[in-house]
Coordinates of all heavy atoms in Angstrom, one line a residue:
S1 N -21.3 2.9 -36.7 CA -21.7 2.4 -35.3 C -20.6 2.1 -34.4 O -19.4 1.9 -35.0 CB -22.5 1.1 -35.5 OG -21.7 0.0 -36.1
T2 N -20.7 2.3 -33.1 CA -19.6 2.1 -32.3 C -19.9 0.8 -31.5 O -20.9 0.7 -30.8 CB -19.5 3.3 -31.3 OG1 -19.4 4.4 -32.1 CG2 -18.4 3.1 -30.4
D3 N -18.8 -0.1 -31.4 CA -19.0 -1.2 -30.5 C -18.3 -0.9 -29.2 O -17.3 -0.3 -29.1 CB -18.2 -2.4 -31.2 CG -19.1 -2.9 -32.3 OD1 -20.2 -2.8 -32.5 OD2 -18.4 -3.7 -33.1
T4 N -19.1 -1.3 -28.2 CA -18.6 -1.2 -26.8 C -18.7 -2.5 -26.0 O -19.5 -3.3 -26.4 CB -19.2 -0.1 -26.0 OG1 -20.6 -0.4 -25.8 CG2 -19.0 1.3 -26.6
G5 N -18.0 -2.7 -24.9 CA -18.1 -3.9 -24.3 C -18.1 -3.7 -22.7 O -17.5 -2.7 -22.3
T6 N -18.7 -4.6 -22.0 CA -18.6 -4.6 -20.6 C -18.3 -6.0 -20.1 O -18.9 -6.9 -20.6 CB -19.9 -4.2 -20.0 OG1 -20.2 -2.9 -20.4 CG2 -19.8 -4.1 -18.4
L7 N -17.3 -6.1 -19.2 CA -16.7 -7.4 -18.9 C -16.9 -7.4 -17.3 O -16.5 -6.5 -16.6 CB -15.2 -7.5 -19.2 CG -14.5 -8.8 -19.0 CD1 -15.2 -9.9 -19.9 CD2 -13.0 -8.7 -19.3
Y8 N -17.6 -8.6 -16.9 CA -17.7 -8.7 -15.5 C -16.9 -10.0 -15.1 O -17.0 -11.1 -15.8 CB -19.1 -9.0 -15.1 CG -20.0 -7.8 -15.2 CD1 -20.7 -7.6 -16.5 CD2 -20.2 -6.8 -14.2 CE1 -21.4 -6.4 -16.6 CE2 -20.9 -5.7 -14.5 CZ -21.6 -5.5 -15.7 OH -22.4 -4.4 -15.9
M9 N -16.1 -10.0 -14.0 CA -15.3 -11.2 -13.6 C -15.7 -11.4 -12.1 O -15.7 -10.5 -11.3 CB -13.8 -10.9 -13.6 CG -13.0 -12.0 -13.2 SD -11.2 -11.7 -13.5 CE -10.8 -10.6 -12.2
Y10 N -16.1 -12.7 -11.8 CA -16.6 -13.1 -10.5 C -15.5 -14.3 -9.9 O -15.3 -15.2 -10.7 CB -17.9 -13.7 -10.5 CG -18.9 -12.7 -11.0 CD1 -19.3 -12.6 -12.4 CD2 -19.6 -12.0 -10.2 CE1 -20.2 -11.8 -12.9 CE2 -20.6 -11.1 -10.7 CZ -20.9 -10.9 -12.1 OH -21.8 -10.1 -12.4
L11 N -14.9 -14.0 -8.8 CA -14.2 -15.0 -8.2 C -15.3 -15.8 -7.3 O -16.0 -15.2 -6.6 CB -13.3 -14.4 -7.2 CG -12.4 -15.4 -6.3 CD1 -11.6 -16.4 -7.2 CD2 -11.5 -14.7 -5.4
Q12 N -15.4 -17.1 -7.6 CA -16.4 -18.0 -6.9 C -15.7 -19.0 -6.1 O -14.6 -19.6 -6.4 CB -17.2 -18.5 -8.0 CG -18.1 -17.4 -8.8 CD -19.0 -18.1 -9.8 OE1 -18.6 -19.2 -10.4 NE2 -20.1 -17.5 -9.9
R13 N -16.4 -19.5 -5.0 CA -16.0 -20.5 -4.3 C -17.1 -21.5 -4.2 O -18.3 -21.3 -4.1 CB -15.7 -20.0 -2.9 CG -15.3 -21.0 -1.7 CD -14.9 -20.5 -0.5 NE -15.8 -19.5 0.2 CZ -15.7 -18.6 1.0 NH1 -14.4 -18.4 1.5 NH2 -16.5 -18.0 1.6
S14 N -16.6 -22.8 -4.2 CA -17.6 -23.9 -4.1 C -18.0 -24.2 -2.6 O -17.1 -24.5 -1.8 CB -17.0 -25.2 -4.7 OG -18.0 -26.1 -4.7
V15 N -19.3 -24.0 -2.3 CA -19.8 -24.2 -0.9 C -21.0 -25.2 -1.0 O -22.0 -24.9 -1.7 CB -20.2 -22.9 -0.3 CG1 -20.8 -23.2 1.1 CG2 -19.0 -22.0 -0.2
N16 N -20.8 -26.4 -0.4 CA -21.8 -27.4 -0.5 C -22.3 -27.7 -1.9 O -23.6 -27.8 -2.2 CB -23.0 -27.0 0.4 CG -22.6 -26.9 1.9 OD1 -21.8 -27.6 2.4 ND2 -23.2 -25.9 2.5
G17 N -21.3 -27.8 -2.8 CA -21.7 -28.1 -4.2 C -22.2 -27.0 -5.0 O -22.4 -27.2 -6.2
S18 N -22.3 -25.8 -4.6 CA -22.8 -24.7 -5.3 C -21.7 -23.6 -5.4 O -21.1 -23.3 -4.5 CB -24.0 -24.1 -4.7 OG -25.1 -25.0 -4.8
W19 N -21.6 -22.9 -6.5 CA -20.6 -21.8 -6.7 C -21.2 -20.6 -6.2 O -22.3 -20.1 -6.6 CB -20.2 -21.7 -8.1 CG -19.4 -22.9 -8.6 CD1 -19.7 -23.9 -9.4 CD2 -18.0 -23.1 -8.3 NE1 -18.7 -24.8 -9.5 CE2 -17.6 -24.3 -8.9 CE3 -17.1 -22.4 -7.6 CZ2 -16.3 -24.9 -8.8 CZ3 -15.8 -23.0 -7.5 CH2 -15.5 -24.2 -8.0
T20 N -20.5 -20.0 -5.3 CA -21.0 -18.7 -4.7 C -20.0 -17.5 -5.0 O -18.8 -17.8 -4.9 CB -21.3 -18.8 -3.2 OG1 -20.1 -19.1 -2.5 CG2 -22.4 -19.8 -2.8
D21 N -20.4 -16.3 -5.2 CA -19.5 -15.2 -5.4 C -18.7 -14.8 -4.2 O -19.3 -14.6 -3.2 CB -20.2 -14.0 -6.1 CG -20.9 -14.3 -7.4 OD1 -20.5 -15.3 -8.1 OD2 -21.7 -13.6 -7.8
V22 N -17.4 -14.7 -4.4 CA -16.6 -14.2 -3.2 C -16.3 -12.7 -3.5 O -16.3 -11.9 -2.5 CB -15.2 -14.9 -3.2 CG1 -14.4 -14.4 -2.1 CG2 -15.6 -16.5 -3.0
N23 N -16.0 -12.3 -4.7 CA -15.8 -10.9 -5.0 C -16.0 -10.7 -6.6 O -16.1 -11.7 -7.2 CB -14.3 -10.6 -4.7 CG -14.2 -9.1 -4.5 OD1 -15.0 -8.3 -4.7 ND2 -13.1 -8.6 -3.9
S24 N -16.1 -9.5 -6.9 CA -16.3 -9.3 -8.3 C -15.7 -8.0 -8.9 O -15.4 -7.1 -8.0 CB -17.9 -9.2 -8.8 OG -18.5 -8.1 -8.0
W25 N -15.4 -7.9 -10.1 CA -14.8 -6.7 -10.7 C -15.4 -6.6 -12.2 O -16.0 -7.5 -12.7 CB -13.3 -6.9 -10.9 CG -12.6 -7.2 -9.6 CD1 -12.0 -6.3 -8.8 CD2 -12.3 -8.5 -9.0 NE1 -11.3 -6.9 -7.7 CE2 -11.6 -8.3 -7.8 CE3 -12.7 -9.7 -9.3 CZ2 -11.2 -9.3 -7.0 CZ3 -12.3 -10.8 -8.5 CH2 -11.6 -10.6 -7.4
S26 N -15.4 -5.4 -12.7 CA -15.8 -5.1 -14.1 C -15.0 -3.9 -14.7 O -14.4 -3.2 -14.0 CB -17.4 -4.7 -13.9 OG -17.6 -3.5 -13.2
T27 N -15.2 -4.0 -16.0 CA -14.6 -2.9 -16.7 C -15.4 -2.7 -18.1 O -16.0 -3.7 -18.5 CB -13.1 -3.3 -17.1 OG1 -12.5 -2.1 -17.8 CG2 -13.0 -4.4 -18.0
S28 N -15.2 -1.5 -18.6 CA -16.0 -1.2 -19.9 C -15.1 -0.5 -20.8 O -14.2 0.2 -20.4 CB -17.3 -0.4 -19.6 OG -18.1 -1.2 -18.9
G29 N -15.4 -0.6 -22.1 CA -14.7 0.3 -23.1 C -14.8 -0.1 -24.6 O -15.8 -0.8 -24.8
T30 N -14.1 0.4 -25.5 CA -14.3 0.2 -26.9 C -13.2 -0.5 -27.5 O -13.1 -0.8 -28.6 CB -14.5 1.6 -27.7 OG1 -13.2 2.3 -27.4 CG2 -15.7 2.3 -27.1
E31 N -12.2 -0.9 -26.8 CA -11.0 -1.7 -27.2 C -10.9 -3.0 -26.5 O -12.0 -3.4 -25.8 CB -9.6 -0.9 -26.8 CG -9.7 0.5 -27.5 CD -9.5 0.5 -29.0 OE1 -9.0 -0.6 -29.6 OE2 -10.1 1.4 -29.7
D32 N -9.9 -3.8 -26.7 CA -9.7 -5.0 -25.8 C -9.9 -4.9 -24.5 O -9.3 -3.9 -23.9 CB -8.4 -5.6 -26.3 CG -8.2 -6.1 -27.6 OD1 -9.3 -6.2 -28.4 OD2 -7.1 -6.4 -28.1
L33 N -10.7 -5.6 -23.9 CA -10.9 -5.5 -22.4 C -10.2 -6.7 -21.6 O -10.2 -7.9 -22.0 CB -12.5 -5.7 -22.1 CG -13.3 -4.5 -22.8 CD1 -14.8 -4.8 -22.4 CD2 -12.9 -3.2 -22.3
G34 N -9.7 -6.4 -20.5 CA -9.2 -7.4 -19.6 C -9.2 -6.9 -18.2 O -9.3 -5.7 -17.8
I35 N -9.2 -7.9 -17.2 CA -9.2 -7.5 -15.8 C -8.1 -8.5 -15.2 O -8.0 -9.6 -15.5 CB -10.5 -7.9 -15.2 CG1 -11.6 -7.1 -15.8 CG2 -10.4 -7.7 -13.7 CD1 -13.1 -7.5 -15.3
S36 N -7.2 -7.8 -14.4 CA -6.2 -8.4 -13.6 C -6.4 -8.0 -12.2 O -6.2 -6.9 -11.9 CB -4.9 -8.2 -14.2 OG -3.9 -8.8 -13.5
E37 N -6.6 -9.0 -11.2 CA -6.8 -8.5 -9.9 C -6.1 -9.6 -8.9 O -5.9 -10.8 -9.4 CB -8.2 -8.5 -9.5 CG -9.0 -7.5 -10.3 CD -8.8 -6.0 -9.7 OE1 -8.1 -5.9 -8.5 OE2 -9.0 -5.0 -10.3
N38 N -5.7 -9.2 -7.7 CA -5.3 -10.0 -6.7 C -6.4 -10.2 -5.6 O -6.9 -9.1 -5.3 CB -4.0 -9.6 -6.1 CG -2.8 -9.7 -7.2 OD1 -2.7 -10.6 -7.9 ND2 -2.0 -8.6 -7.4
Y39 N -6.5 -11.3 -5.0 CA -7.4 -11.4 -3.9 C -6.9 -12.6 -3.0 O -6.7 -13.6 -3.6 CB -8.8 -11.7 -4.4 CG -9.9 -11.6 -3.5 CD1 -10.4 -10.4 -3.1 CD2 -10.4 -12.8 -2.8 CE1 -11.4 -10.3 -2.1 CE2 -11.4 -12.6 -1.8 CZ -11.9 -11.5 -1.5 OH -12.9 -11.4 -0.5
Y40 N -6.9 -12.3 -1.7 CA -6.5 -13.3 -0.7 C -7.7 -14.2 -0.4 O -8.8 -13.7 -0.1 CB -6.0 -12.7 0.4 CG -4.6 -12.1 0.3 CD1 -4.4 -10.7 0.0 CD2 -3.5 -12.8 0.2 CE1 -3.3 -10.1 -0.2 CE2 -2.2 -12.3 0.0 CZ -2.1 -10.9 -0.2 OH -0.9 -10.4 -0.4
V41 N -7.7 -15.5 -0.6 CA -8.7 -16.4 -0.3 C -8.5 -17.2 0.9 O -7.4 -17.4 1.3 CB -9.0 -17.3 -1.7 CG1 -9.3 -16.6 -2.8 CG2 -7.7 -18.2 -1.8
S42 N -9.6 -17.9 1.4 CA -9.5 -18.7 2.5 C -9.1 -20.1 2.1 O -9.5 -20.5 1.0 CB -10.9 -18.8 3.1 OG -11.3 -17.5 3.6
S43 N -8.3 -20.7 2.9 CA -7.8 -22.1 2.8 C -8.9 -23.1 2.8 O -9.9 -23.0 3.6 CB -6.7 -22.4 3.6 OG -6.1 -23.7 3.4
G44 N -8.7 -24.2 2.0 CA -9.7 -25.4 2.1 C -10.9 -25.4 1.2 O -11.7 -26.2 1.5
Y45 N -10.8 -24.6 0.1 CA -12.0 -24.5 -0.8 C -11.6 -24.7 -2.2 O -10.3 -24.4 -2.6 CB -12.7 -23.2 -0.6 CG -13.4 -22.9 0.7 CD1 -12.7 -22.2 1.8 CD2 -14.6 -23.4 1.0 CE1 -13.4 -22.1 2.9 CE2 -15.3 -23.2 2.1 CZ -14.7 -22.5 3.1 OH -15.3 -22.4 4.3
Y46 N -12.5 -25.0 -3.0 CA -12.2 -24.9 -4.5 C -12.7 -23.6 -4.9 O -13.8 -23.0 -4.5 CB -13.1 -26.0 -5.2 CG -12.5 -27.3 -5.2 CD1 -12.8 -28.3 -4.2 CD2 -11.5 -27.7 -6.2 CE1 -12.3 -29.5 -4.1 CE2 -11.0 -29.0 -6.1 CZ -11.3 -29.9 -5.1 OH -10.7 -31.2 -5.1
Y47 N -11.8 -22.9 -5.8 CA -12.2 -21.6 -6.4 C -12.2 -21.7 -7.9 O -11.5 -22.6 -8.5 CB -11.1 -20.6 -6.0 CG -11.2 -20.3 -4.4 CD1 -10.5 -21.1 -3.5 CD2 -12.0 -19.3 -4.0 CE1 -10.5 -20.7 -2.2 CE2 -12.1 -19.0 -2.6 CZ -11.4 -19.7 -1.8 OH -11.5 -19.4 -0.4
R48 N -12.9 -20.8 -8.6 CA -12.8 -20.6 -10.0 C -13.2 -19.1 -10.3 O -13.6 -18.3 -9.5 CB -13.8 -21.5 -10.7 CG -15.2 -21.1 -10.6 CD -16.2 -21.9 -11.4 NE -17.6 -21.4 -11.3 CZ -18.6 -22.1 -11.9 NH1 -18.5 -23.2 -12.5 NH2 -19.8 -21.5 -11.8
V49 N -12.9 -18.8 -11.6 CA -13.3 -17.5 -12.1 C -14.4 -17.6 -13.1 O -14.2 -18.5 -14.1 CB -12.1 -16.7 -12.7 CG1 -12.5 -15.5 -13.4 CG2 -11.1 -16.5 -11.6
H50 N -15.5 -16.9 -13.0 CA -16.6 -16.9 -13.9 C -16.6 -15.5 -14.6 O -16.6 -14.5 -13.9 CB -17.9 -17.1 -13.2 CG -19.0 -17.0 -14.0 ND1 -19.4 -17.9 -15.0 CD2 -20.2 -16.2 -13.9 CE1 -20.5 -17.6 -15.5 NE2 -21.1 -16.5 -14.9
V51 N -16.6 -15.5 -15.9 CA -16.6 -14.2 -16.7 C -17.8 -14.1 -17.6 O -18.2 -15.0 -18.2 CB -15.4 -14.1 -17.5 CG1 -15.3 -12.9 -18.3 CG2 -14.1 -14.1 -16.7
I52 N -18.3 -12.9 -17.6 CA -19.5 -12.6 -18.5 C -19.2 -11.4 -19.3 O -18.7 -10.4 -18.7 CB -20.8 -12.3 -17.7 CG1 -21.2 -13.6 -16.8 CG2 -22.0 -12.2 -18.7 CD1 -22.4 -13.3 -15.9
A53 N -19.2 -11.4 -20.7 CA -19.0 -10.3 -21.5 C -20.2 -10.0 -22.3 O -20.8 -10.8 -22.9 CB -17.9 -10.7 -22.5
Y54 N -20.5 -8.6 -22.3 CA -21.6 -8.1 -23.1 C -21.0 -7.2 -24.2 O -20.1 -6.4 -23.8 CB -22.5 -7.3 -22.2 CG -23.2 -8.1 -21.0 CD1 -22.6 -8.2 -19.9 CD2 -24.3 -8.7 -21.2 CE1 -23.1 -8.9 -18.8 CE2 -24.9 -9.4 -20.3 CZ -24.4 -9.5 -19.1 OH -25.0 -10.3 -18.0
V55 N -21.5 -7.4 -25.4 CA -21.1 -6.6 -26.4 C -22.3 -5.6 -27.0 O -23.4 -6.2 -27.2 CB -20.5 -7.3 -27.6 CG1 -20.1 -6.4 -28.8 CG2 -19.3 -8.1 -27.1
F56 N -22.1 -4.4 -27.1 CA -23.2 -3.5 -27.6 C -22.7 -2.8 -28.8 O -21.5 -2.4 -29.0 CB -23.4 -2.5 -26.5 CG -23.8 -2.9 -25.2 CD1 -22.8 -3.3 -24.2 CD2 -25.1 -3.1 -24.8 CE1 -23.2 -3.7 -23.1 CE2 -25.5 -3.5 -23.7 CZ -24.5 -3.9 -22.7
T57 N -23.7 -2.7 -29.8 CA -23.4 -1.9 -31.0 C -24.4 -0.8 -31.1 O -25.7 -1.0 -31.0 CB -23.6 -2.8 -32.3 OG1 -22.7 -3.8 -32.3 CG2 -23.5 -1.9 -33.6
S58 N -23.9 0.5 -30.9 CA -24.8 1.7 -30.9 C -25.7 1.6 -29.7 O -27.0 2.0 -29.9 CB -25.5 1.9 -32.3 OG -24.5 2.1 -33.2
G59 N -25.3 1.0 -28.7 CA -26.2 1.0 -27.4 C -27.0 -0.2 -27.4 O -27.7 -0.5 -26.4
T60 N -27.1 -1.0 -28.4 CA -28.0 -2.2 -28.5 C -27.1 -3.5 -28.2 O -26.1 -3.7 -28.7 CB -28.6 -2.4 -29.8 OG1 -29.4 -1.2 -30.1 CG2 -29.5 -3.6 -29.9
L61 N -27.7 -4.3 -27.1 CA -26.9 -5.5 -26.9 C -27.0 -6.5 -28.1 O -28.0 -6.9 -28.6 CB -27.6 -6.1 -25.6 CG -27.0 -7.5 -25.2 CD1 -25.6 -7.3 -24.6 CD2 -27.9 -8.0 -24.0
V62 N -25.8 -6.9 -28.5 CA -25.7 -7.9 -29.7 C -25.1 -9.2 -29.3 O -25.2 -10.1 -30.1 CB -25.0 -7.2 -30.8 CG1 -25.8 -6.0 -31.3 CG2 -23.6 -6.8 -30.5
E63 N -24.4 -9.3 -28.2 CA -23.7 -10.6 -27.9 C -23.5 -10.7 -26.4 O -23.2 -9.7 -25.8 CB -22.5 -10.8 -28.6 CG -21.8 -12.1 -28.4 CD -20.6 -12.3 -29.3 OE1 -20.3 -11.5 -30.2 OE2 -19.9 -13.3 -29.2
I64 N -23.7 -11.9 -25.9 CA -23.3 -12.1 -24.5 C -22.5 -13.4 -24.6 O -22.8 -14.5 -25.2 CB -24.5 -12.5 -23.6 CG1 -25.4 -11.3 -23.5 CG2 -24.1 -12.9 -22.2 CD1 -26.7 -11.5 -22.8
A65 N -21.3 -13.5 -23.8 CA -20.5 -14.7 -23.7 C -20.0 -14.9 -22.4 O -19.9 -14.0 -21.5 CB -19.2 -14.4 -24.6
T66 N -20.0 -16.1 -22.0 CA -19.7 -16.6 -20.6 C -18.6 -17.6 -20.7 O -18.5 -18.4 -21.6 CB -20.9 -17.0 -19.7 OG1 -21.3 -18.3 -20.4 CG2 -22.0 -16.2 -19.7
Q67 N -17.8 -17.6 -19.6 CA -16.6 -18.6 -19.6 C -16.3 -18.9 -18.1 O -16.2 -17.9 -17.3 CB -15.4 -18.1 -20.3 CG -14.3 -19.0 -20.4 CD -14.6 -20.3 -21.3 OE1 -15.1 -20.0 -22.5 NE2 -14.3 -21.4 -20.9
N68 N -16.0 -20.1 -17.8 CA -15.6 -20.5 -16.5 C -14.2 -21.0 -16.5 O -13.8 -21.7 -17.4 CB -16.4 -21.6 -15.8 CG -17.8 -21.2 -15.5 OD1 -18.1 -20.1 -15.1 ND2 -18.8 -21.9 -15.9
S69 N -13.3 -20.6 -15.6 CA -11.9 -21.3 -15.6 C -12.1 -22.7 -15.0 O -13.2 -23.1 -14.4 CB -11.1 -20.4 -14.6 OG -11.5 -20.5 -13.3
N70 N -10.9 -23.3 -15.0 CA -10.9 -24.6 -14.2 C -10.9 -24.3 -12.8 O -10.6 -23.2 -12.4 CB -9.7 -25.4 -14.6 CG -9.6 -25.9 -16.0 OD1 -10.7 -26.3 -16.6 ND2 -8.5 -26.0 -16.6
S71 N -11.5 -25.2 -11.9 CA -11.5 -25.0 -10.5 C -10.1 -25.4 -9.9 O -9.4 -26.2 -10.5 CB -12.6 -25.8 -9.9 OG -12.4 -27.1 -10.1
V72 N -9.8 -24.7 -8.9 CA -8.5 -24.9 -8.3 C -8.7 -25.0 -6.7 O -9.5 -24.2 -6.2 CB -7.5 -23.8 -8.4 CG1 -6.2 -23.9 -7.7 CG2 -7.2 -23.6 -10.0
Y73 N -8.1 -26.1 -6.2 CA -8.2 -26.2 -4.7 C -7.1 -25.5 -3.9 O -6.0 -25.7 -4.4 CB -8.3 -27.6 -4.3 CG -8.3 -27.9 -2.8 CD1 -9.6 -27.8 -2.2 CD2 -7.3 -28.3 -2.0 CE1 -9.9 -28.1 -0.9 CE2 -7.6 -28.5 -0.6 CZ -8.8 -28.4 -0.1 OH -9.0 -28.6 1.3
Y74 N -7.4 -24.6 -3.0 CA -6.4 -23.9 -2.3 C -6.3 -24.4 -0.8 O -7.3 -24.4 -0.1 CB -6.7 -22.4 -2.3 CG -5.7 -21.6 -1.4 CD1 -4.4 -21.5 -1.8 CD2 -6.1 -21.1 -0.2 CE1 -3.5 -20.9 -1.1 CE2 -5.1 -20.4 0.6 CZ -3.8 -20.3 0.2 OH -2.9 -19.7 0.9
C75 N -5.0 -24.8 -0.5 CA -4.8 -25.3 0.8 C -3.6 -24.6 1.3 O -2.5 -24.7 0.8 CB -4.7 -26.8 0.9 SG -4.6 -27.4 2.6
N76 N -3.6 -23.9 2.5 CA -2.5 -23.3 3.1 C -1.8 -24.3 4.0 O -2.2 -24.5 5.0 CB -2.9 -22.1 3.8 CG -1.7 -21.3 4.3 OD1 -0.6 -21.7 4.4 ND2 -2.0 -20.1 4.9
Y77 N -0.7 -24.8 3.5 CA 0.0 -26.0 4.3 C 0.8 -25.4 5.4 O 1.2 -26.1 6.2 CB 0.9 -26.7 3.4 CG 0.3 -27.5 2.2 CD1 0.1 -27.2 0.9 CD2 -0.4 -28.7 2.7 CE1 -0.6 -27.9 0.0 CE2 -1.1 -29.4 1.7 CZ -1.2 -29.1 0.5 OH -1.9 -29.8 -0.5
S78 N 0.9 -24.0 5.5 CA 1.5 -23.6 6.8 C 0.6 -23.6 8.0 O 1.2 -23.3 9.1 CB 2.1 -22.1 6.5 OG 0.9 -21.3 6.3
V79 N -0.7 -23.9 7.8 CA -1.4 -24.0 8.9 C -1.6 -25.5 9.3 O -2.0 -26.3 8.6 CB -2.9 -23.6 8.5 CG1 -3.8 -23.8 9.7 CG2 -2.8 -22.1 8.2
A80 N -1.2 -25.9 10.5 CA -1.1 -27.2 11.0 C -2.6 -27.7 11.2 O -3.4 -27.0 11.8 CB -0.3 -27.4 12.3
P81 N -2.9 -28.9 10.8 CA -4.3 -29.3 11.0 C -4.5 -29.7 12.5 O -3.6 -30.0 13.2 CB -4.4 -30.7 10.2 CG -2.9 -31.1 10.1 CD -2.1 -29.8 10.0
T82 N -5.8 -29.4 13.0 CA -6.1 -29.7 14.4 C -6.6 -31.2 14.4 O -7.5 -31.5 13.6 CB -7.2 -28.8 14.8 OG1 -6.7 -27.5 14.8 CG2 -7.5 -29.0 16.3
L83 N -6.0 -32.0 15.2 CA -6.4 -33.4 15.2 C -7.1 -33.7 16.6 O -7.1 -33.0 17.5 CB -5.1 -34.3 15.3 CG -4.3 -34.1 13.9 CD1 -3.1 -35.0 14.0 CD2 -5.0 -34.5 12.8

C-alpha cells in the first residue's frame, strides 16, 4: 500500500471575533510535506495559521489532523495614527 498526504495551510485574520481566510496554499506527496510562504498582511489585525492534513492509504482516507498556530497581532508602526 502507498501512503500519500495532502496538506492545506490557511492564513487567517480575526474579524469581529471570527477567523476568516485571507489566503491558502496546499501541497501533496508521499514524503514529508511542508509549506513555506510569504504574504504581506494588513496592519491592525490578529493573524494565525490553520493547517489541515489528510493521509490516504491506497486512496482511502485514514487520518485527518488539524492544528492552529498562536495568534499574532500585526501593527505597522511606521504608519502614524490619525487623531
